[in-house]
């Protein structure tokens, strides 16, 4: 079980890097992928994958693609299979057990790589001390899940003004690999 952290300030391209990694794995491996993009709906995720396939920025409103074009691009990207890419469908930030259960489900259906964008979204709206406690709990549990289920989890975290992962230092402590984007 591996946990990989990608961290950067807002606007640096963390999600775009993840999308490129997702698309690379879709096209070049047989690894099952679980995509948990908490800050966007599944339609945006589908458009992003289709956009890579069609080489068109499909997430932009004026991209010139119809819904059918996007759908066909996505189907082509995943090789007409709905058995390798699973999209997480909940925006309930407060339900940690639901997140863990969904990760367990994704692993049970064959996902070996789970993308979690973004970890700090799960603490928005909390006071700073509560954020620290929740991040500590989340990172500890996600690391334990990765080990138990023998999966890799790629997490995104935003940086604060001091350059540290927003919320708590444990985000970095429980990761096997840290990628800093500047």
């Amino acid at each position: 079980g591996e946990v990989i952290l990608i961290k950067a300030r807002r606007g640096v391209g963390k999600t775009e890097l993840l999308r490129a990694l997702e698309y690379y794995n879709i096209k070049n491996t047989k690894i099952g992928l679980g995509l948990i993009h908490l800050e966007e709906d599944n339609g945006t995720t589908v458009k992003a994958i289709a956009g890579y396939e069609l080489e068109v920025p499909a997430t932009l409103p004026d991209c010139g693609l119809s819904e059918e074009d996007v759908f066909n691009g996505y189907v082509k990207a995943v090789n007409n299979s709905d058995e390798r890419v699973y999209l997480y469908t909940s925006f309930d930030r407060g339900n940690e057990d639901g997140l863990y259960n969904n990760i367990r489900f994704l692993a049970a259906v064959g996902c070996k790589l789970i993308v979690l964008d973004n970890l700090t979204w799960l603490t928005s709206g909390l006071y700073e001390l509560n954020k620290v406690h929740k991040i500590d709990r989340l990172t500890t549990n996600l690391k334990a899940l990765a080990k138990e289920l023998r999966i890799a989890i790629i997490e995104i975290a935003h940086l604060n003004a001091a350059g540290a992962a927003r919320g708590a230092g444990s985000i970095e402590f429980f990761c096997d690999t840290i990628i800093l984007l500047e």
Side-chain angles (χ1 to χ4, degrees):
E2 297 284 319
V3 176
I4 301 156
L5 173 66
I6 300 172
K7 63 180 192 167
R9 287 183 175 76
R10 287 192 181 276
V12 175
K14 300 172 297 298
T15 299
E16 203 53 47
L17 174 62
L18 271 186
R19 287 180 174 150
L21 291 171
E22 291 165 355
Y23 182 73
Y24 176 86
N25 279 287
I26 289 168
K27 297 305 280 186
N28 298 293
T29 74
K30 296 191 184 299
I31 295 171
L33 300 173
L35 307 181
I36 304 171
H37 288 272
L38 296 173
E39 292 181 306
E40 66 186 29
D41 60 60
N42 289 339
T44 303
T45 304
V46 167
K47 286 178 184 177
I49 292 169
Y52 273 95
E53 183 66 27
L54 301 171
E55 298 180 0
V56 174
T59 57
L60 298 178
D62 60 349
C63 69
L65 297 175
S66 68
E67 286 185 22
E68 184 178 355
D69 293 335
V70 170
F71 176 76
N72 290 334
Y74 178 80
V75 168
K76 184 178 177 191
V78 298
N79 200 25
N80 200 28
S81 172
D82 60 357
E83 297 177 4
R84 281 196 49 236
V85 180
Y86 294 86
L87 305 178
Y88 182 81
T89 58
S90 175
F91 285 90
D92 184 2
R93 295 189 309 245
N95 187 357
E96 288 176 50
D97 289 334
L99 175 66
Y100 305 142
N101 288 337
N102 276 293
I103 290 172
R104 287 182 184 286
F105 170 79
L106 293 169
V109 297
C111 295
K112 295 295 183 189
L113 177 61
I114 309 291
V115 172
L116 177 56
D117 182 12
N118 97 42
L119 187 61
T120 47
W121 174 264
L122 296 166
T123 65
S124 62
L126 296 177
Y127 292 107
E128 197 59 37
L129 186 57
N130 292 340
K131 283 183 182 184
V132 170
H133 291 298
K134 187 167 186 174
I135 288 288
D136 285 347
R137 191 172 52 249
L138 282 164
T139 55
T140 302
N141 290 337
L142 289 170
K143 176 64 175 182
L145 266 177
K147 288 174 137 313
E148 172 194 336
L149 301 172
R150 297 179 179 212
I151 61 173
I153 300 174
I154 298 177
E155 303 170 349
I156 289 282
H158 291 172
L159 297 179
N160 62 21
R166 192 180 295 165
S170 62
I171 293 176
E172 296 175 10
F173 182 77
F174 288 103
C175 292
D176 299 291
T177 302
I178 299 171
I179 299 169
L180 172 62
L181 299 180
E182 292 187 359

